[in-house]
Amino acid sequence: MEENKVRQEKNTEIEMKKEYLKGYEKVRRQMERSELRIREMRLNRICPSVINDGMPHASNQADLSGYAALLDQEEKRYMRYRYLRVRKCKEITDRIEQLANEDEKDVLMYRYIRLMKWEDICVKIGHSWQHTHRIHAKALNNFKM
C-alpha cells in the first residue's frame, strides 16, 4: 500500500516536471502570437482593407493618433511580457544544463527546447528508441525544479 503511494507521488512529480519543461514551448508560442499581432496591426495601418463596392471613399487620416497610441501600448505590453517569457526560457534551459549527464541534457534539450520527435532524437544521439526513453526517464528523475 505504502509502495503504491510512493510510486504515485513519483509519477505526479515526473508529470509536473514534464509540464514545467513544456512551458518553454508555450512561452515561445505566446511570443510568436504577440509578434504576429503587432505585425498585423502595423500592416493593417499601412494597407487598410479595401471596400470594393464601386463607390469612392475618402481615406480617413484622423484616427492616426489613436492608432499610434494603440500600437505603442501593444508594443510596450509585448516588450514587458517578452522580457518575462525570455527569463522563463532561460530558467528552463539553465536547469537542464545543471544535469551532470550529457546524454540526459541532450534528450531534454532536443525534446523540450528544440521540440524534436522521438525518432529524430534517437537518430541524433545514436541510441535505440528504448534506450533513449530510459535516458529521458533518468533525466526527469535527476531534473531539479
Side-chain angles (χ1 to χ4, degrees), residues 86-100:
V86 166
R87 230 174 60 189
K88 179 74 171 175
C89 289
K90 183 177 178 348
E91 174 187 311
I92 293 171
T93 54
D94 287 349
R95 288 183 186 203
I96 291 173
E97 285 297 326
Q98 289 175 1
L99 291 169

Side-chain angles (χ1 to χ4, degrees), residues 2-134:
E2 187 66 31
E3 185 179 315
N4 283 341
K5 187 176 180 178
V6 171
R7 188 178 308 131
Q8 188 176 17
E9 287 175 359
K10 189 69 173 170
N11 287 340
T12 302
E13 180 185 346
I14 294 296
E15 289 305 313
M16 287 173 52
K17 288 178 180 181
K18 286 180 182 179
E19 283 304 310
Y20 175 79
L21 290 165
K22 288 176 183 176
Y24 189 93
E25 177 188 9
K26 291 176 187 174
V27 167
R28 279 185 35 197
R29 288 185 6 229
Q30 290 168 348
M31 284 192 290
E32 288 171 5
R33 281 194 308 269
S34 294
E35 289 170 2
L36 181 61
R37 186 169 48 246
I38 289 174
R39 216 174 311 132
E40 285 175 349
M41 287 176 69
R42 287 180 177 155
L43 221 121
N44 286 338
R45 185 63 201 157
I46 294 169
C47 307
S49 46
V50 178
I51 302 172
N52 288 323
D53 61 3
M55 300 297 292
H57 296 278
S59 66
N60 185 2
Q61 296 297 322
D63 65 346
L64 187 59
S65 63
Y67 165 78
L70 183 64
L71 182 60
D72 185 55
Q73 177 185 5
E74 189 68 21
E75 285 177 336
K76 283 180 183 175
R77 186 172 61 168
Y78 165 76
M79 291 307 289
R80 186 172 50 251
Y81 286 127
R82 180 177 170 81
Y83 171 74
L84 295 173
R85 290 170 180 149
V86 166
R87 230 174 60 189
K88 179 74 171 175
C89 289
K90 183 177 178 348
E91 174 187 311
I92 293 171
T93 54
D94 287 349
R95 288 183 186 203
I96 291 173
E97 285 297 326
Q98 289 175 1
L99 291 169
N101 184 292
E102 291 299 317
D103 285 341
E104 292 176 9
K105 287 181 195 179
D106 287 345
V107 169
L108 292 185
M109 288 295 249
Y110 292 146
R111 183 66 181 168
Y112 298 102
I113 306 303
R114 294 196 181 158
L115 307 174
M116 291 173 66
K117 295 179 182 177
W118 286 113
E119 298 86 3
D120 298 330
I121 296 170
C122 294
V123 170
K124 188 85 170 164
I125 65 172
H127 292 297
S128 70
W129 174 281
Q130 190 174 22
H131 189 66
T132 300
H133 281 278
R134 274 195 297 261

